[in-house]
């Protein structure tokens, strides 16, 4: 089940809210745990057992680590054991097929293997569970004694499928002492509808535009670049929209999750882009991989090696295909170049130049991200710099004109313009009426869109 579906917001969500607010405060975590398992098991009930096993492993590991306080060797053993089990499950379900295919490239190797189906959201909830155990080991948080609270943390349905990656220490107090208020609930509804609008009214349209213009053999230089723009906007509005919906749902149940996107396409460098894009993942890799490896504390050469490891891991985290590894290393190279000399140049040139530089390499990065077929990727990249087949064909020209208004709207709305307007109008007497009317309009348009069109892809569903 996805948030951007009629089933979710006309059936599942109303039922869950009624159940949640009908039961006493002391059993609301139990209610959330139950409905979150139902949400996850809607499409893949068998993988509920895998999630419960993950909860059990990390709960026991956290308890043992705290029990053996002062016995560093034993604590390290429990931590390593839990990390190995977590990563072992992730590798088996997500990367075993890639590993076997790679081994089969070797001479005289022919392994017959059928890769298992990928459990939805395994990359997200595995990282969440691992952060809990690591934080208990570091004494950044106390071990959770109540297994149901631990289960609620891992399975919490607003951020279960696609994040943001919520660390236990950030929501520890909220799990047991949160306060649900009318103002928090109403702001959650507004944030959810903003995310819904991003997903249904914008991301789905850009996905359709990419389908028309994004083929490796698309005709015309302008058509290919317009297709790449559509992909760039699709990925942003798709994922940031889903994150906004998750944060909005969290507020409806009294939780406050971290912001996951901060207008990344206004960045003037790749370094800035990764401070604004998928913030929860970048923070996770920084705190649990980059810094433990030594960060920038052991000299420049070691820092480069640490960055290489982090960005290779970041690429592979997104998928078990070589293009994701290439995508991660592509950004590694750009970030290293900025550390060496590019950042100094970018500070001296006009802002619009550095902005164009960042957008150019971000868009090329999304092409690498999208094409799992390396030959098709190369053909598309080459086509971006060749006008041998003209600027655009007649058919692509019609598509460009049809999608021109939504493309302009997407480019404007990927900037903080609505945020600025919100701040300026927030204290005006008429603003609540405008806000209510806007939310109602978004709801009506999203409902009409889903009723009339079943095309509702979610690009991050495969992670």
């Amino acid at each position: 089940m996805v948030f951007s579906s009629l089933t979710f917001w006309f059936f599942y969500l109303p039922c869950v809210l009624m159940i949640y607010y009908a039961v006493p405060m002391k059993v609301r975590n139990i209610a959330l745990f139950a409905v979150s398992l139902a949400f996850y098991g809607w499409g893949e009930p068998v993988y509920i057992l895998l999630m419960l096993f993950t909860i059990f492993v990390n709960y026991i590991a956290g308890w043992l680590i705290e029990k053996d306080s002062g016995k560093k060797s034993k604590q390290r053993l429990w931590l390593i054991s839990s990390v190995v089990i977590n990563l072992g499950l992730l590798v088996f379900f997500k990367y075993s097929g890639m590993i076997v295919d790679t081994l089969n490239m070797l001479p005289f190797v022919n392994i017959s293997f059928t890769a298992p189906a990928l459990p939805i959201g395994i990359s997200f909830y595995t990282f969440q569970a691992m952060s809990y155990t690591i934080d208990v080991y570091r004494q950044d948080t106390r071990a959770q004694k109540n297994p149901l609270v631990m289960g609620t943390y891992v399975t919490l349905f607003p951020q279960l499928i696609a994040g943001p990656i919520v660390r236990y220490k950030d929501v520890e107090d909220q799990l047991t002492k949160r306060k649900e208020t009318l103002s928090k609930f109403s702001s959650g509804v507004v944030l959810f509808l903003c995310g819904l609008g991003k997903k249904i009214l914008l991301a789905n349209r850009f996905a359709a535009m990419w389908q028309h213009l994004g083929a490796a053999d698309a005709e015309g230089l302008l058509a290919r670049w317009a297709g790449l723009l559509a992909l760039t906007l699709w990925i942003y509005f798709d994922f940031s929209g889903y994150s906004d919906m998750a944060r909005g749902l969290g507020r409806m149940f009294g939780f406050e999750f971290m912001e996951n996107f901060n207008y990344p396409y206004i960045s003037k460098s790749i370094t800035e882009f990764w401070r604004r894009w998928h913030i929860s993942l970048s923070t996770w890799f920084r705190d649990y991989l980059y810094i433990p490896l030594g960060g920038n504390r052991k000299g420049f050469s070691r820092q480069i090696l640490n960055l290489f490891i982090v960005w290779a891991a970041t690429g592979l985290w997104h998928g078990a295909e070589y293009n994701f590894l290439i995508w991660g290393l592509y950004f590694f190279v750009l970030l290293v170049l900025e550390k060496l000399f590019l950042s100094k140049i970018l500070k001296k040139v006009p802002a619009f130049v550095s902005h164009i530089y960042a957008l150019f390499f971000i868009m090329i990065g999304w092409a690498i991200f999208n094409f799992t077929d390396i030959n098709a990727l190369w053909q598309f990249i080459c086509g971006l710099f060749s006008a041998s087949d003209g600027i655009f064909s007649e058919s692509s020209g019609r598509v460009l004109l049809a999608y021109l208004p939504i493309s302009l709207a997407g480019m404007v709305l990927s900037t903080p313009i609505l945020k600025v307007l919100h701040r300026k109008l927030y204290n005006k007497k008429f603003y609540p009426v405008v806000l209510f009317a806007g939310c109602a309009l978004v709801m009506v348009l999203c409902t009409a869109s889903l009723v009339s069109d079943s095309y509702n892809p979610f690009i991050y569903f495969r992670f």
Side-chain angles (χ1 to χ4, degrees), residues 34-83:
V35 298
S36 295
L37 288 178
F39 174 83
Y40 188 76
W42 185 270
E44 294 182 320
V46 66
Y47 284 132
I48 290 178
L49 297 176
L50 178 64
M51 180 179 289
L52 291 174
F53 179 71
T54 299
I55 294 168
F56 173 78
V57 166
N58 289 277
Y59 171 77
I60 293 298
W63 178 74
L64 289 171
I65 289 169
E66 188 165 270
K67 183 180 77 70
D68 288 329
S69 178
K71 303 174 183 176
K72 210 63 180 176
S73 59
K74 280 193 174 183
Q75 287 184 309
R76 192 176 295 113
L77 173 63
W78 304 134
L79 174 65
I80 292 173
S81 298
S82 68
V83 169

Side-chain angles (χ1 to χ4, degrees), residues 356-377:
I356 291 172
Y357 150 82
L359 280 178
F360 173 82
F361 284 106
I362 290 167
M363 292 173 71
I364 297 297
W366 290 136
I368 300 171
F369 184 88
N370 180 77
F371 285 97
T372 56
D373 185 325
I374 302 302
N375 291 327
L377 168 63

Side-chain angles (χ1 to χ4, degrees), residues 79-113:
L79 174 65
I80 292 173
S81 298
S82 68
V83 169
V84 168
I85 293 172
N86 280 295
L87 291 182
L89 290 171
L90 183 60
V91 168
F92 174 74
F93 283 100
K94 191 166 184 176
Y95 303 104
S96 55
M98 179 184 182
I99 293 170
V100 170
D101 290 343
T102 302
L103 291 174
N104 282 337
M105 294 179 185
L106 300 173
F108 310 111
V109 177
N110 185 18
I111 302 172
S112 179
F113 178 76

Side-chain angles (χ1 to χ4, degrees), residues 248-259:
L249 287 169
R251 287 183 187 177
M252 293 182 204
F253 296 96
F255 291 91
E256 190 65 51
F257 302 144
M258 72 180 298
E259 186 177 28

Side-chain angles (χ1 to χ4, degrees), residues 76-376:
R76 192 176 295 113
L77 173 63
W78 304 134
L79 174 65
I80 292 173
S81 298
S82 68
V83 169
V84 168
I85 293 172
N86 280 295
L87 291 182
L89 290 171
L90 183 60
V91 168
F92 174 74
F93 283 100
K94 191 166 184 176
Y95 303 104
S96 55
M98 179 184 182
I99 293 170
V100 170
D101 290 343
T102 302
L103 291 174
N104 282 337
M105 294 179 185
L106 300 173
F108 310 111
V109 177
N110 185 18
I111 302 172
S112 179
F113 178 76
T114 302
L118 180 64
I120 295 171
I122 189 172
S123 297
F124 289 95
Y125 74 72
T126 297
F127 271 32
Q128 285 199 181
M130 287 172 59
S131 72
Y132 162 77
T133 312
I134 295 170
D135 285 345
V136 173
Y137 175 80
R138 293 174 172 177
Q139 297 183 333
D140 289 338
T141 188
R142 297 293 303 275
Q144 176 54 246
K145 302 298 189 296
N146 189 335
L148 286 173
V149 174
M150 178 65 183
T152 302
Y153 161 66
V154 175
T155 63
L156 197 58
F157 79 88
Q159 45 76 54
L160 176 60
I161 300 299
I165 300 172
V166 179
R167 293 186 290 185
Y168 177 80
K169 66 180 181 180
D170 293 334
V171 293
E172 180 181 9
D173 291 338
Q174 298 179 54
L175 283 165
T176 54
K177 302 174 185 176
R178 63 185 176 277
K179 292 183 179 180
E180 300 92 348
T181 64
L182 182 59
S183 61
K184 183 180 286 188
F185 186 93
S186 59
S187 70
V189 172
V190 172
L191 187 54
F192 176 84
L193 289 174
C194 287
L196 188 66
K198 282 183 178 181
K199 174 71 185 79
I200 303 297
L201 304 180
L202 294 171
N204 286 1
R205 302 285 76 77
F206 291 123
M209 182 178 173
W210 169 250
Q211 292 297 316
H212 287 294
L213 299 174
D217 57 351
E219 294 182 6
L221 179 66
L222 180 60
R224 286 187 287 272
W225 276 102
L228 185 56
L229 173 65
L231 176 65
T232 300
L233 293 172
W234 172 27
I235 292 174
Y236 169 66
F237 285 113
D238 205 53
F239 196 18
S240 70
Y242 217 90
S243 291
D244 286 346
M245 285 188 277
R247 294 176 60 228
L249 287 169
R251 287 183 187 177
M252 293 182 204
F253 296 96
F255 291 91
E256 190 65 51
F257 302 144
M258 72 180 298
E259 186 177 28
N260 212 18
F261 292 86
N262 184 21
Y263 303 101
Y265 291 161
I266 67 171
S267 301
K268 297 180 179 65
S269 69
I270 300 303
T271 301
E272 182 185 356
F273 171 74
W274 279 105
R275 292 193 187 114
R276 294 174 174 273
W277 180 273
H278 205 339
I279 299 168
S280 64
L281 180 67
S282 301
T283 303
W284 197 99
F285 274 114
R286 181 197 68 195
D287 292 347
Y288 297 109
L289 187 57
Y290 179 68
I291 292 176
L293 286 172
N296 59 1
R297 304 187 306 273
K298 298 184 178 181
F300 187 71
S301 297
R302 180 61 182 271
Q303 182 185 13
I304 298 302
L305 175 61
N306 294 341
L307 286 171
F308 175 85
I309 294 170
V310 167
W311 284 98
T314 300
L316 286 174
W317 180 89
H318 282 84
E321 300 285 351
Y322 285 108
N323 69 300
F324 293 113
L325 178 60
I326 295 170
W327 176 77
L329 296 180
Y330 165 84
F331 279 110
F332 157 74
V333 171
L334 289 172
L335 290 167
V336 170
L337 290 176
E338 287 189 359
K339 287 183 179 297
L340 288 172
F341 65 90
L342 271 180
S343 61
K344 295 178 182 178
I345 297 175
L346 292 172
K347 290 177 182 178
K348 295 178 180 178
V349 300
F352 79 91
V353 174
S354 58
H355 185 59
I356 291 172
Y357 150 82
L359 280 178
F360 173 82
F361 284 106
I362 290 167
M363 292 173 71
I364 297 297
W366 290 136
I368 300 171
F369 184 88
N370 180 77
F371 285 97
T372 56
D373 185 325
I374 302 302
N375 291 327

Side-chain angles (χ1 to χ4, degrees), residues 390-401:
I391 301 301
F392 57 85
S393 65
E394 183 179 348
S395 60
S396 64
R398 288 195 294 270
V399 174
L400 288 171
L401 286 175

